Amino acid sequence: MPKTLRLILGDQLNYEHSWFRELNPEVSYVMMEILPEAQYVRHHIQKLLAFFGAMRQFSDYMQSQGHHFIYFSLDAPHNRHSFAENIKSILDTDKYQRLQYQEPDEYRLDQLLGSLSEKLDIEVEMTSSEHFLSERTEVKDFFKGKKSFLLESFYRYMRKKYDVLMEGDQPLSGKWNYDADNRKKYKGEIPIPRLQMAPPPLQDILQAIEAQGIEYLGQVDLNQFDWPISREAALRFLDFFTQNCLPYFGTFQDAMEMNEPFLFHSRLSFAINTKILHPREVILKVLESWQQMPDKINLAQVEGFIRQVLGWREYMRGIYWAKMPEYADLNFLDLKNKLPEFYWNGNTKMRCLQQAISQSLEKAYAHHIQRLMVTGNFALLAGVDPAQVDEWYLGIYIDAIEWVEITNTRGMSQFADGGIVGTKPYVSSANYIDKMSNYCAKCHYQKKKRYGEKACPFNSLYWHFYEQHRDKLGKNPRIGMAYRNLDRMKPEEKEKIMIQAQEYLSNLDHL
Ligand code: FAD
Ligand code: SF4
């Protein structure tokens, strides 16, 4: 074998990758903590710590197994903070014939690493990351010639492809989808399980981040770090989830509760996105737990979870590769407003946003419905430029990597792709938020009021949104009902709502 240098990126921590199946003295691995990766957006401090911490754990583990690693830490004096420059410095001192890297998940890095062969005097080869359950082009090929990319049909295809929850070519128990059973509000009837874990050592990395002057968002308490960054911790999280949360996962999947950021969610997205966990092993563990505890876990919970991992996650990645780089600039509704200041500090009288944002700043986490129906919903109703919305989501969440952030944000949440991911915009008035949470009861605003003193901003902005985008949305059959309701309103009532919305729109920072 030619002497080979293998580059591993921060989200390629695949402990089970075939690269590590055998020890080979002709192979060295290189990992690097570099400033451009820490600075392409202002990241949450917990995200920076989790990525660098997980990289160090990975490298330490592989070295303990006998693999040869070259590691550039953030504060190493010889770190040139560039993939190409650091690799050049290795090649200057040691003779390698070949550089290998795994397919990056981000378009930006795909381009950058794809151009390495022009910069380096060495053979460069890309190989599979052996992580996803579909190929980069599988979604594109699946929907070839189709205008809309329906998740449901891709999800069914994946269920059949991997024979998950199937009876022959039919879904187990005759139903593909248990969404309708999965929409309960949480009323404290089931205690929320708490996972106690010793925090990982992150002090050195925090110091290096501070010393380098990297700007970041949010806060961290090193004595209580909520994210698994080693393989061992990730497996523990997976085990904890299947034993304690899975029995209620689907039922309370959409619920929101004051001061309860995690509810019955898995918190596995960081570990899966960095490839510490493989989606296949996560799905198999869920199926195994269901088989072991059929009286505790029902099919609706299992299907609800598998839909996210086997369906949504693979689908989003496929959309990303089908539509990049154009996707990153889409702005179907031509929205231009600035992201309200309270997204950066949580200072708003709107309880739902105050909760979702403060929690995100504190934990680098909000669950799906908080992201979609609170922060995303409001940004869309407020007409915020999707580029600013993307920047916020990409920075603040522990699991935010562009391929999965942008498709969820620009696509699903902001409808900036004009209907590739979602068939209609995810917007709602206070009604939905009140149905799924206990936020409204403790809010400064009144959930039922559409205008006047303390009227909930979501209510007037919701109708204003439809009115404003009638030319682009008016013919969408999925929102015909909203337009019929709008058109049935008394003109005086409608006018008051529109005036209220305008007032709120010109005062977004102070709501
Ligand atoms: P759970 O609720 O326990 O779900 C289990 C797993 O399913 C997750 O870990 C994740 O791997 C997968 N999953 C669930 N929903 C999705 C989805 N829509 N797309 C892809 N995978 C999904 N997810 C990210 O991983 N990174 C992001 O940057 C990201 N940005 C988002 C932005 C917006 C506006 C929205 C609406 C959603 C976003 N999501 C993102 C999807 C989802 O919110 C997170 O995956 C989830 O909240 C992570 O928490 P969890 O691990 O506790 O998930
Ligand atoms: Fe949010 Fe309106 Fe409910 Fe307040 S009343 S929590 S602003 S939806």
Side-chain angles (χ1 to χ4, degrees):
M1 183 178 193
K3 199 160 164 16
T4 301
L5 184 64
R6 288 174 169 167
L7 171 68
I8 298 173
L9 302 177
D11 65 348
Q12 295 180 333
L13 312 179
N14 184 351
Y15 285 75
E16 310 279 294
H17 195 281
S18 58
W19 274 359
F20 305 108
R21 256 177 229 150
E22 57 187 46
L23 291 174
N24 189 331
E26 295 302 303
V27 175
S28 298
Y29 296 88
V30 55
M31 294 181 78
M32 40 186 111
E33 299 168 5
I34 58 174
L35 284 172
E37 291 303 304
Q39 290 174 326
Y40 64 84
V41 71
R42 197 148 59 105
H43 298 285
H44 197 293
I45 181 63
Q46 292 183 37
K47 185 180 173 193
L48 292 168
L49 290 167
F51 268 90
F52 292 148
M55 288 167 68
R56 290 184 186 190
Q57 298 260 359
F58 184 83
S59 152
D60 288 351
Y61 174 82
M62 288 303 169
Q63 290 187 68
S64 75
Q65 299 301 299
H67 297 283
H68 179 235
F69 266 66
I70 303 164
Y71 197 94
F72 291 83
S73 55
L74 201 54
D75 47 2
H78 60 285
N79 189 344
R80 297 180 187 173
H81 293 286
S82 142
F83 288 116
E85 292 304 314
N86 280 341
I87 291 170
K88 262 190 210 156
S89 73
I90 298 172
L91 300 181
D92 284 347
T93 53
D94 215 341
K95 289 262 167 293
Y96 287 91
Q97 277 103 41
R98 189 169 59 164
L99 172 73
Q100 290 183 322
Y101 65 91
Q102 297 175 18
E103 54 181 351
D105 293 338
E106 280 181 88
Y107 186 84
R108 173 181 69 87
L109 290 171
D110 196 50
Q111 297 287 299
L112 195 131
L113 300 189
S115 67
L116 275 183
S117 59
E118 294 154 24
K119 297 183 188 136
L120 303 170
D121 188 17
I122 188 176
E123 180 193 334
V124 180
E125 231 178 61
M126 184 172 90
T127 182
S128 169
S129 64
E130 300 173 9
H131 174 78
F132 288 96
L133 298 168
S134 50
E135 298 299 323
R136 263 190 189 177
T137 56
E138 209 160 328
V139 163
K140 188 176 180 181
D141 297 341
F142 182 79
F143 291 105
K144 200 168 180 193
K146 302 250 166 55
K147 221 175 127 210
S148 64
F149 286 42
L150 263 188
L151 172 271
E152 188 62 29
S153 40
F154 184 72
Y155 169 59
R156 291 182 186 188
Y157 156 80
M158 292 293 280
R159 288 263 298 269
K160 287 184 197 160
K161 177 174 165 183
Y162 284 96
D163 195 21
V164 173
L165 302 179
M166 297 296 295
E167 253 166 354
D169 64 351
Q170 291 304 309
L172 198 68
S173 298
K175 253 170 93 173
W176 289 103
N177 186 325
Y178 289 80
D179 255 7
D181 304 348
N182 288 349
R183 296 205 177 121
K184 250 183 115 186
K185 184 170 181 164
Y186 177 72
K187 292 186 181 150
E189 56 274 61
I190 313 281
I192 294 163
R194 316 271 173 206
L195 171 60
Q196 302 293 340
M197 290 267 287
L202 294 167
Q203 187 62 44
D204 288 356
I205 305 176
L206 184 58
Q207 264 164 17
I209 290 170
E210 303 277 9
Q212 294 289 333
I214 300 170
E215 285 187 26
Y216 56 75
L217 279 174
Q219 62 250 27
V220 64
D221 172 1
L222 290 185
N223 294 317
Q224 203 214 322
F225 197 73
D226 294 303
W227 309 106
I229 62 168
S230 67
R231 172 90 180 144
E232 197 191 347
L235 289 172
R236 202 141 158 239
F237 264 66
L238 177 58
D239 203 45
F240 175 82
F241 169 72
T242 53
Q243 294 292 320
N244 302 285
C245 307
L246 183 59
Y248 313 103
F249 174 80
T251 308
F252 298 115
Q253 197 173 354
D254 291 359
M256 297 176 280
E257 176 76 8
M258 296 269 288
N259 304 318
E260 287 294 350
F262 305 130
L263 287 163
F264 301 95
H265 292 272
S266 70
R267 279 189 283 161
L268 290 172
S269 50
F270 173 79
I272 306 179
N273 290 352
T274 48
K275 305 184 180 59
I276 296 173
L277 292 179
H278 196 288
R280 188 189 303 107
E281 74 181 323
V282 172
I283 292 170
L284 288 176
K285 178 79 184 171
V286 163
L287 291 172
E288 184 193 290
S289 307
W290 174 49
Q291 269 154 16
Q292 285 169 353
M293 300 183 282
D295 44 345
K296 211 172 150 194
I297 306 171
N298 67 38
L299 180 56
Q301 318 303 320
V302 174
E303 191 283 317
F305 186 83
I306 286 178
R307 164 180 296 267
Q308 310 307 320
V309 179
L310 184 62
W312 279 110
R313 187 167 183 274
E314 297 289 325
Y315 166 84
M316 289 306 203
R317 176 189 184 239
I319 297 275
Y320 182 77
W321 286 107
K323 300 292 176 187
M324 281 297 280
E326 298 77 19
Y327 205 83
D329 294 319
L330 296 179
N331 187 356
F332 175 70
L333 296 171
D334 199 22
L335 305 178
K336 298 196 173 90
N337 284 346
K338 188 180 152 281
L339 191 72
E341 205 45 43
F342 57 74
Y343 273 75
W344 304 103
N345 54 33
N347 291 337
T348 166
K349 298 188 283 296
M350 293 180 279
R351 180 65 79 190
C352 51
L353 281 151
Q354 180 270 330
Q355 278 283 302
I357 295 169
S358 309
Q359 168 201 315
S360 302
L361 290 166
E362 199 186 313
K363 302 276 181 199
Y365 181 85
H367 70 66
H368 188 70
I369 290 301
Q370 292 177 303
R371 298 186 203 193
L372 186 65
M373 298 312 292
V374 179
T375 42
N377 184 5
F378 189 80
L380 182 53
L381 292 179
V384 178
D385 176 353
Q388 295 198 17
V389 187
D390 262 335
E391 188 194 340
W392 187 78
Y393 279 97
L394 189 57
I396 203 161
Y397 291 118
I398 194 82
D399 51 33
I401 305 179
E402 191 191 62
W403 66 270
V404 57
E405 175 281 321
I406 204 168
T407 42
N408 271 293
T409 303
R410 206 169 268 259
M412 181 189 264
S413 164
Q414 300 300 295
F415 204 67
D417 66 5
I420 297 169
V421 169
T423 48
K424 68 181 176 90
Y426 278 97
V427 285
S428 81
S429 62
N431 196 23
Y432 175 84
I433 295 173
D434 188 43
K435 202 169 97 193
M436 296 315 302
S437 77
N438 60 353
Y439 296 152
C440 299
K442 301 208 172 84
C443 185
H444 163 87
Y445 292 101
Q446 292 180 11
K447 63 186 182 191
K448 297 268 185 220
K449 276 180 94 170
R450 303 205 276 199
Y451 48 82
E453 207 191 337
K454 296 192 178 173
C456 167
F458 279 83
N459 294 338
S460 52
L461 292 176
Y462 174 78
W463 292 114
H464 180 268
F465 172 83
Y466 281 127
E467 185 62 16
Q468 189 190 17
H469 299 297
R470 197 182 274 271
D471 57 332
K472 288 184 174 146
L473 302 176
K475 293 204 173 65
N476 183 330
R478 295 222 45 216
I479 35 187
M481 175 76 108
Y483 279 104
R484 280 194 294 281
N485 287 338
L486 185 60
D487 294 338
R488 270 202 293 263
M489 266 179 209
K490 289 195 188 113
E492 321 82 81
E493 176 79 0
K494 188 167 154 187
E495 198 190 338
K496 282 181 187 159
I497 294 173
M498 297 303 148
I499 291 172
Q500 179 69 78
Q502 287 297 352
E503 222 173 85
Y504 282 152
L505 283 170
S506 48
N507 197 26
L508 283 174
D509 279 341
H510 301 105
L511 293 181

